[in-house]
Amino acid sequence: MARGLALLWLSALAHGSGAQYERKQRRPQYARVGGDDGVETLWQRPAADPPRGILFVAHGCGHQGPDLFTEVGPDGFEFPGCKRSYLGKCLGLPEEMRLRKAGLARGYIVMAVSGGFGRKSCWMPGEDLGNVAMAVEHVRKTEGLPEDTPVLAMGASSGGAFVGHLAQPLEQGGLPHLKCIVPEIMAIDANSNRGVPTLFVHMPRDKSTAAAVERDMQVLRSKGIRSKEIPVRPVPVTEEFLAQCFDKATAADVLRAMQADKLLDHQGLLAEDARRRVWVKTVRTAIAGRSSDTLEADESCMAELLNVAWAQHEFTSQFAEEMLDFCEQ
């Protein structure tokens, strides 16, 4: 009897330890690949086992890899990688977070690398192509994935141009096993694409980029490379939209204040470019200390959302499902 109880206790302990290990494996991970001053790499494994592949997300200028993660998870887990990062914190920006969650839900390991100088920087293809290849290989080996694991690459602005470089021929530094690229709000060098399907997600309000995207698509089609575009239009500012950054009551107060100060038109669309930041004083007053959002450019939830609402140049995850659908074709 005693022996049986002991076996049951050991079995329960083993299962409990296994569950804890599984949770740990699915929590965000952090590494500086190549040494203490190495390539800052963050990733998270999905619940799906085995993972379907790797989704690499490239930040824009003035940003970094930790933008995709929060310092504290929904289960209360404190991600130590945030404080260890070159920035010293995780921003958990809303669009990046939504893309990460969409990728995880589809069964992909989602990873990010801090390009350029490692914080608040742009990508430097000459150095970063090798750095990203090394980071992807680190994640693949750490997670025990096959050597031919497919990689999906999505990036915005400077990151959009960078994922275009990943599609170059392998002998020119292209990334192996690349299944697709999704450059956002940026054109690429289509002539150098080795045959990787390409989905452009751009904001037609930026006419110069829209024209460049059209030229890129003509080149890709002439080469027989599958390509498509998704134009991103302005969206109205609503309580639901603002609730991505604030609690319900604060979101309602912010919306009323923006309406009263005529920052929105009759359709709820922004009256002028959010990057001019005329909204800051109104929103700060309406928040009245109820939010930790700094409202600072390139690190604020609200600032990013209003850039998306204006729809001229911003990372966006509005079409995350369509982006993944394209890559999985």
Side-chain angles (χ1 to χ4, degrees), residues 14 17-18 20 54 73 90 92 96 111 121 127 133 136 150 154 165 185 205 207 213 215 217 222 291 302 316 329:
S17 298
Q20 289 175 4
I54 294 173
C90 289
E96 288 86 340
M111 67 171 290
S121 187
E127 297 181 12
V136 169
M154 302 179 181
H165 289 292
I185 55 174
R205 185 165 239 157
K207 296 180 181 179
V213 165
R215 290 193 295 270
M217 291 184 65
S222 72
S291 169
M302 181 66 171
T316 180
Q329 290 178 14

Side-chain angles (χ1 to χ4, degrees), residues 92-217:
L93 294 176
E95 297 300 312
E96 288 86 340
M97 289 274 290
R98 184 162 60 171
L99 179 57
R100 176 172 64 87
K101 291 176 181 177
L104 290 170
R106 286 287 186 102
Y108 294 95
I109 289 177
V110 181
M111 67 171 290
V113 167
S114 295
F117 297 114
R119 61 186 296 272
K120 296 187 176 182
S121 187
C122 301
W123 292 88
M124 302 176 184
E127 297 181 12
D128 285 329
L129 284 173
N131 289 343
V132 167
M134 186 166 58
V136 169
E137 185 66 1
H138 175 84
V139 171
R140 185 190 69 77
K141 288 184 175 179
T142 301
E143 296 296 338
L145 302 180
E147 186 174 348
D148 61 351
T149 296
V151 180
L152 286 55
M154 302 179 181
S157 192
S158 171
F162 181 72
V163 299
H165 289 292
L166 294 177
Q168 294 174 172
L170 299 182
E171 61 271 19
Q172 295 179 22
L175 186 69
H177 312 298
L178 188 61
K179 188 175 181 180
C180 74
I181 58 171
V182 182
E184 288 193 353
I185 55 174
M186 186 60 72
I188 63 171
D189 178 6
N191 287 298
S192 69
N193 188 308
R194 68 177 187 263
V196 179
T198 303
L199 171 63
F200 294 94
V201 178
H202 67 99
M203 298 176 168
R205 185 165 239 157
D206 179 352
K207 296 180 181 179
S208 176
T209 297
V213 165
E214 179 58 33
R215 290 193 295 270
D216 280 344
M217 291 184 65

Side-chain angles (χ1 to χ4, degrees), residues 237-246 251 254-255 258 302 305:
V237 177
T238 64
E239 284 187 33
E240 182 181 13
F241 186 74
L242 296 175
Q244 297 177 77
C245 299
F246 309 117
V254 168
L255 180 62
M258 293 183 72
M302 181 66 171
L305 283 189

